[in-house]
Structures are given as C-alpha cells and as structure tokens.
C-alpha cells in the first residue's frame, strides 16, 4: 500500500537527517507550459528539455558540493513525498519534484561500481 511504501521511504529519509541538508530539484511546469505555447514547433520537446536542464543542474550542484569536500547522493522519492514536502514548504502546485540531493560530511568513500566498458556505452562519430 501507499502508506507502507511511505513508511519505508520515511525511514530511509530519516537516515539522511545526519547530513547537513537536502537540495530539492523542481520543474516549474507553468514555465515549461509557457515555453510550449511560445514555441509550438518544439512544444513536445519542452518536458524533456526541462528534465535535461534539471540533470545538468543536479550535476553542477553535486560537483560544487564535492569541491567543498561534501558528499551527496541523488534520490528519487517522488511521488511518495510530494504532497508532504509541498505542504511543509508552501510550494505551488505547478512545481513538480524531480529529485532530492541529501548532502553532508563524507562518512566513507563510495564503493566502486561495476560498469560496462565505456566503448560499449559511448559512441563517437566523425572523428
């Protein structure tokens, strides 16, 4: 059930409480919709553009935190936490939560992650 899922999520979020804070990333859908009206030829692309912009911002914020010696992780607890967070901070309904980034002191270095070789994931053409 949603209540059980929220309780499990709430427990994990409470574990982040030892950190310094959390950055919340939103898409203001009113802005995205206005851009769709202003540029109808590209209207179908603007939700993707908004997500791309959010991803670039997330990377920039994470990099800035790392440069200050802070650790961070990118979390996606939406939609489970959307209503509670919006109510807590009085956010407009047009703001749609994209991701959360808890940050704080690095407790331990990140463990290595097995990945496919870069050549199988990235292709470069024209060079």
């Amino acid at each position: 059930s949603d209540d059980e899922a929220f309780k499990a999520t709430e427990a994990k979020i409470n574990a982040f409480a030892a950190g310094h804070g959390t950055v919340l990333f939103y898409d203001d859908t009113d802005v995205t919709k206005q851009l769709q009206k202003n540029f109808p030829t590209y209207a179908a692309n603007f939700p993707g553009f908004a997500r791309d912009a959010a991803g670039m911002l997330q990377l920039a914020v994470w990099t800035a935190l790392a440069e200050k010696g802070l650790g961070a992780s990118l979390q996606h607890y939406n939609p489970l936490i959307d209503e509670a967070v919006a109510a807590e901070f009085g956010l407009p309904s047009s703001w749609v939560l994209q991701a959360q980034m808890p940050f704080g002191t690095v407790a331990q270095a990140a463990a290595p992650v097995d990945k496919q070789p870069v050549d199988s994931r990235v292709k470069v053409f024209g060079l």
Side-chain angles (χ1 to χ4, degrees):
S1 78
D2 286 345
D3 288 342
E4 290 172 0
F6 184 80
K7 286 179 183 176
T9 299
E10 185 177 37
K12 192 165 184 184
I13 290 171
N14 287 339
F16 296 134
H20 297 317
T22 299
V23 179
L24 301 174
F25 296 92
Y26 284 87
D27 172 27
D28 183 345
T29 58
D30 284 349
V31 172
T32 303
K33 289 174 186 174
Q34 186 61 50
L35 289 166
Q36 289 176 301
K37 289 178 186 175
N38 293 349
F39 303 96
T41 302
Y42 305 102
N45 295 336
F46 278 101
F49 293 163
R51 176 139 330 251
D52 293 348
M56 292 170 25
L57 178 60
Q58 292 158 15
L59 178 61
V61 169
W62 199 335
T63 300
L65 291 168
E67 287 178 353
K68 296 294 183 184
L70 296 170
S73 64
L74 192 63
Q75 305 294 318
H76 299 91
Y77 288 105
N78 38 310
L80 297 175
I81 65 170
D82 291 3
E83 290 181 25
V85 173
E88 177 70 22
F89 297 108
L91 302 176
S93 62
S94 64
W95 286 24
V96 175
L97 185 60
Q98 300 293 313
Q100 308 84 51
M101 185 179 290
F103 64 93
T105 305
V106 178
Q108 65 185 39
V113 176
D114 288 332
K115 294 183 180 180
Q116 295 175 341
V118 72
D119 291 344
S120 69
R121 297 180 286 133
V122 177
K123 301 293 181 192
V124 178
F125 300 96
L127 296 178

